[in-house]
Amino acid sequence: GAVVSQHPSRVICKSGTSVKIECRSLDFQATTMFWYRQFPKKSLMLMATSNEGSKATYEQGVEKDKFLINHASLTLSTLTVTSAHPEDSSFYICSASARSSYNEQFFGPGTRLTVL
Amino acid sequence: GQNIDQPTEMTATEGAIVQINCTYQTSGFNGLFWYQQHAGEAPTFLSYNVLDGLEEKGRFSSFLSRSKGYSYLLLKELQMKDSASYLCAVRDNYGQNFVFGPGTRLSVLP
């Protein structure tokens, strides 16, 4: 089956620092990757959609200068939370889809970010 | 606008059957998905409906009525491990974007 990994799984950082989260599709080429944010006991909120080699499309209300997304290859997308603040603490989940599996998104295991 | 509704919480007994409902109003529709999510973990795919009717997969079944903007997930022979959140998601038009509902937290009691 299709596997998506995320790294790191947990990160604790000081306020004002930047944090990079990697999302990799391990055994398929991900034409599209999605980044979600999830608060405790809440559902997933789509932050942005990225296609390989092009700029990410951000959802309304998501600051693109704060959440930098790069989709440099068909197997890797990165989310950088710049100048993180405590309110950015959340569970960040990526997912990936491929042309051959149009009906499914494959989710990564998520990254728990805590900003002190 | 996009709106998806699910009950917030449900409780059921081990061995029983439970139905989790989902209603949606979206600007487009190209499929409805159900995901299971255990606490602190990523969602896992359960089912997909794009045409009206019932899709059965083992202990899990999902139903769709596009005219009513309604779906349900049916879980049979409940097990303790089924305690999780169940997310209903709609894919809009022919894009890849998914809109997720708020999720239903199911607790299975012995």
Side-chain angles (χ1 to χ4, degrees):
Chain A
V3 179
V4 175
S5 70
Q6 273 185 250
H7 178 79
S9 57
R10 285 180 175 270
V11 58
I12 300 173
C13 68
K14 292 182 179 179
S15 187
T17 58
S18 293
V19 175
K20 180 186 280 189
I21 303 170
E22 292 187 350
C23 177
R24 293 182 184 271
S25 57
L26 298 185
D27 51 2
F28 68 102
Q29 292 187 329
T31 49
T32 306
M33 284 186 167
F34 305 84
W35 286 96
Y36 294 88
R37 184 174 180 177
Q38 187 174 33
F39 291 103
K41 298 185 179 181
K42 299 293 183 183
S43 191
L44 280 72
M45 182 191 78
L46 180 65
M47 298 174 67
T49 303
S50 73
N51 294 295
E52 185 264 341
S54 62
K55 289 184 178 180
T57 302
Y58 289 81
E59 295 299 298
Q60 195 171 11
V62 178
E63 298 175 61
K64 59 183 176 183
D65 293 331
K66 179 162 185 65
F67 299 99
L68 301 177
I69 292 172
N70 184 280
H71 192 163
S73 76
L74 284 171
T75 59
L76 174 64
S77 177
T78 60
L79 167 68
T80 301
V81 183
T82 61
S83 187
H85 291 285
E87 57 266 29
D88 299 324
S89 298
S90 189
F91 192 49
Y92 291 88
I93 305 176
C94 74
S95 71
S97 66
R99 285 197 196 94
S100 60
S101 60
Y102 182 66
N103 290 335
E104 288 193 54
Q105 287 190 17
F106 302 99
F107 285 87
T111 297
R112 172 82 51 200
L113 171 64
T114 303
V115 185
L116 303 176
Chain B
Q2 317 279 55
N3 187 50
I4 300 180
D5 284 320
Q6 298 177 238
T8 306
E9 295 189 28
M10 297 184 71
T11 304
T13 306
E14 193 175 14
I17 299 173
V18 70
Q19 177 175 313
I20 302 174
N21 296 324
C22 171
T23 59
Y24 64 90
Q25 299 96 40
T26 55
S27 56
F29 179 84
N30 191 33
L32 187 142
F33 298 74
W34 283 95
Y35 287 86
Q36 180 191 61
Q37 186 180 27
H38 286 97
E41 299 180 11
T44 54
F45 172 79
L46 289 178
S47 70
Y48 164 70
N49 295 70
V50 69
L51 299 176
D52 291 350
L54 188 69
E55 294 283 340
E56 297 187 75
K57 196 188 268 190
R59 295 190 299 114
F60 295 77
S61 304
S62 58
F63 171 83
L64 174 68
S65 168
R66 288 172 296 170
S67 62
K68 295 181 180 178
Y70 168 68
S71 173
Y72 68 72
L73 179 70
L74 194 70
L75 292 79
K76 302 176 186 176
E77 301 170 15
L78 280 173
Q79 302 174 9
M80 300 297 289
K81 66 179 182 179
D82 297 329
S83 293
S85 285
Y86 291 86
L87 307 175
C88 169
V90 173
R91 184 170 60 200
D92 64 348
N93 292 323
Y94 294 97
Q96 287 277 26
N97 286 8
F98 283 49
V99 179
F100 279 84
T104 299
R105 284 195 303 280
L106 174 66
S107 298
V108 180
L109 305 177

